[in-house]
Amino acid sequence: MSVSSDKGVSLENHIAKTLQKKLGARVTRDKRSGAGSHQKMDLNDYFQDTPFDIEAKNHKTVAIKEWMRQAKAGASMNRVPTVVFNADDDILACLPFDALVDLAVQIRDLTAELKDLRTP
């Protein structure tokens, strides 16, 4: 395995482990990642424990437009195409703005529902 693919595998494993630990998501690295299949994502979320279809990138040069096109092309219907990438030792995520707003609305609505449930 090349240094380049080792970096990619390392980031993919980090993302999967973080989602598993923090969300209990049953997410795994797709073993076919980087194998040239254009209709797949780097992480397998078979049970859809998260709303994201994730394309992971660990490159020196950031090409977010190209990566987002790739994520959108590989994402399944009703899933959020998401690019997770390493930039100067920060792991960042990029997703469509409308999806970000939709997630914020869901959080707001669920927070209000919890508040109502806690009110006697």
Side-chain angles (χ1 to χ4, degrees):
M1 198 178 291
S2 70
V3 172
S4 157
S5 60
D6 284 346
K7 284 186 349 183
V9 169
S10 175
L11 179 61
E12 291 163 6
N13 285 330
H14 174 77
I15 295 165
K17 286 177 184 175
T18 300
L19 292 172
Q20 291 164 1
K21 181 179 177 183
K22 293 193 174 193
L23 295 175
R26 295 164 287 181
V27 176
T28 59
R29 178 183 172 271
D30 191 326
K31 304 280 189 255
R32 299 170 299 158
S33 175
S37 172
H38 69 288
Q39 289 296 332
K40 55 93 190 143
M41 303 310 289
D42 290 330
L43 294 162
N44 183 341
D45 187 7
Y46 178 80
F47 297 99
Q48 297 190 355
D49 292 327
T50 74
F52 311 109
D53 272 347
I54 296 174
E55 183 66 34
K57 297 294 184 183
N58 197 355
H59 296 265
K60 286 182 183 179
T61 304
V62 175
I64 197 66
K65 284 181 173 181
E66 176 186 333
W67 298 342
M68 184 51 75
R69 279 192 291 274
Q70 185 179 0
K72 285 180 179 180
S76 299
M77 186 178 259
N78 297 321
R79 305 277 294 156
V80 179
T82 306
V83 177
V84 178
F85 60 101
N86 192 349
D88 298 328
D89 297 323
D90 284 329
I91 297 176
L92 305 174
C94 179
L95 62 152
F97 180 71
D98 286 346
L100 177 66
V101 172
D102 290 344
L103 290 170
V105 168
Q106 288 178 4
I107 292 168
R108 180 201 62 201
D109 292 349
L110 289 171
T111 301
E113 186 176 330
L114 281 173
K115 183 178 177 185
D116 289 344
L117 291 171
R118 290 180 179 148
T119 303

